[in-house]
Amino acid sequence: MTRLSPLPFSCPRLPALPTTAPLAAALVWLAAWATPAAAQRERFTVRLERVGSTPVTRPAGTPAAGDFWQESLQISLGQRFVRQQGNTIAVVGGQWRAINATLPRPNASQNEVTTLHVAAADLMLLRSFGSKHTLVSVLRPGLYGDAVRVEGAAFVDRIVSPRTTVGLGLSYASSFGKLLPIPVVHVVSRPKRRLLIDALLPARGDLWWMPRKGLDVGLNASLVGAQYGLSAAQQVAGGTDLWLANATVGPQLRWAPRGGKWQLTGDAGMTVLRRLEYARNGRSVADLAPGNVPFLRVGANRLF
């Protein structure tokens, strides 16, 4: 039996794309790449996520609660700067994320909760070339658990038709839980006025229907994770890192109560793939094998 307690989260708002500005498509891409920094359009974001509880495999000699659960709180803040008549946009910001989880702990009680933190700067630069191409570069230096490192990406978008933009790029990030070089494909298409398709494969895909101003309803599939360095007190089975990621699928909603810059957001559904492994020197040493469970996210955004 899984249990789910309702708690809050946010999801970036996708703008209606102008058909002549390549920077617009790149801005949408930033929302998809940044697990959920979304600093290109959201000046401020706060979200809370709760994932249902499920049994896990316990490494030998480590106590743990009967059920594994996790919840996370994320706060992001950004500021953008436009230069050279709009051909260049820089976004400077930061994010902090804390995850509470009932992980196995050596010499700890069964109910003890482990807290993992990410505190990173978001440095993004978008540069348009001609009327069809935009180069996007992202750096995210910061603290990932007990490890200091830099994650990032490079990406090129091309307008292929008045309603469709396609891009290719490469990220070096830990969205899959493990730090990996990941090829990405970006597609933004607006086949009809009220319908928007936005995908950054393999990390995220969105389908949005916009019945009226200030209200968007959609479906989302996404992968959110990180590779956390562990302190000596958090290490289990010889693992110095924790690979943690959740792939989720479900409906989503964005609502601006007064049609302004404040949005309330939420989505819910099921996890479809989960990673929870202790690792050392890039190799897994203990797989806790959590099952799939319901999730809930709610939050708020303040747009530029």
Side-chain angles (χ1 to χ4, degrees):
M1 241 358 229
T2 60
R3 298 191 303 272
L4 183 62
S5 300
L7 292 174
F9 176 137
S10 112
C11 166
R13 176 176 177 82
L14 301 177
L17 292 181
T19 58
T20 58
L23 279 177
L27 288 176
V28 173
W29 170 77
L30 284 176
W33 185 84
T35 344
Q40 85 298 338
R41 209 178 140 90
E42 282 75 33
R43 182 185 297 273
F44 174 77
T45 299
V46 59
R47 70 176 191 175
L48 188 61
E49 175 185 60
R50 175 74 183 213
V51 180
S53 60
T54 182
V56 294
T57 301
R58 305 184 206 178
T62 58
D67 289 320
F68 170 75
W69 59 264
Q70 67 182 83
E71 63 184 13
S72 64
L73 171 67
Q74 176 163 321
I75 298 173
S76 302
L77 187 66
Q79 177 61 47
R80 67 182 178 186
F81 303 92
V82 181
R83 294 291 183 270
Q84 297 182 6
Q85 298 180 344
N87 290 328
T88 301
I89 296 177
V91 182
V92 179
Q95 66 168 285
W96 170 79
R97 182 168 72 252
I99 291 182
N100 289 331
T102 49
L103 293 167
R105 294 284 296 275
N107 305 317
S109 69
Q110 289 190 348
N111 295 321
E112 185 156 348
V113 174
T114 297
T115 301
L116 303 167
H117 296 273
V118 171
D122 285 312
L123 310 173
M124 310 180 187
L125 183 66
L126 299 87
R127 173 71 178 175
S128 63
F129 295 92
S131 61
K132 292 187 176 182
H133 295 86
T134 297
L135 172 66
V136 182
S137 56
V138 180
L139 286 178
R140 185 168 292 149
L143 185 67
Y144 297 80
D146 232 41
V148 177
R149 66 171 179 268
V150 179
E151 299 190 7
F155 190 88
V156 177
D157 258 340
R158 184 178 187 275
I159 294 177
V160 297
S161 77
R163 292 181 176 271
T164 302
T165 295
V166 177
L168 296 174
L170 181 70
S171 71
Y172 185 62
S174 55
S175 299
F176 283 86
K178 182 179 180 181
L179 190 63
L180 294 168
I182 305 169
V184 292
V185 177
H186 180 224
V187 178
V188 176
S189 181
R190 195 151 197 173
K192 295 185 178 180
R193 185 172 66 90
R194 297 184 184 274
L195 190 66
L196 177 65
I197 300 168
D198 174 36
L200 182 70
L201 304 174
R204 196 193 70 147
D206 287 293
L207 174 64
W208 287 104
W209 176 55
M210 305 167 187
R212 61 179 177 84
K213 182 178 180 180
L215 178 64
D216 304 329
V217 180
L219 294 173
N220 168 265
S222 61
L223 177 68
V224 178
Q227 177 175 319
Y228 296 92
L230 300 176
S231 66
Q234 296 171 336
Q235 294 178 11
V236 170
T240 57
D241 297 294
L242 181 69
W243 297 344
L244 191 156
N246 293 307
T248 60
V249 175
Q252 56 185 343
L253 178 72
R254 300 184 305 223
W255 177 45
R258 298 184 178 180
K261 293 186 177 182
W262 278 105
Q263 293 180 323
L264 300 178
T265 64
D267 59 297
M270 290 290 296
T271 65
V272 292
L273 182 67
R274 305 186 73 185
R275 184 173 212 169
L276 185 59
E277 300 178 56
Y278 288 95
R280 186 180 186 88
N281 298 324
R283 300 184 64 180
S284 175
V285 295
D287 185 351
L288 276 66
N292 288 315
V293 289
F295 76 93
L296 177 70
R297 305 180 184 123
V298 295
N301 296 329
R302 168 68 178 180
L303 305 181
F304 284 114

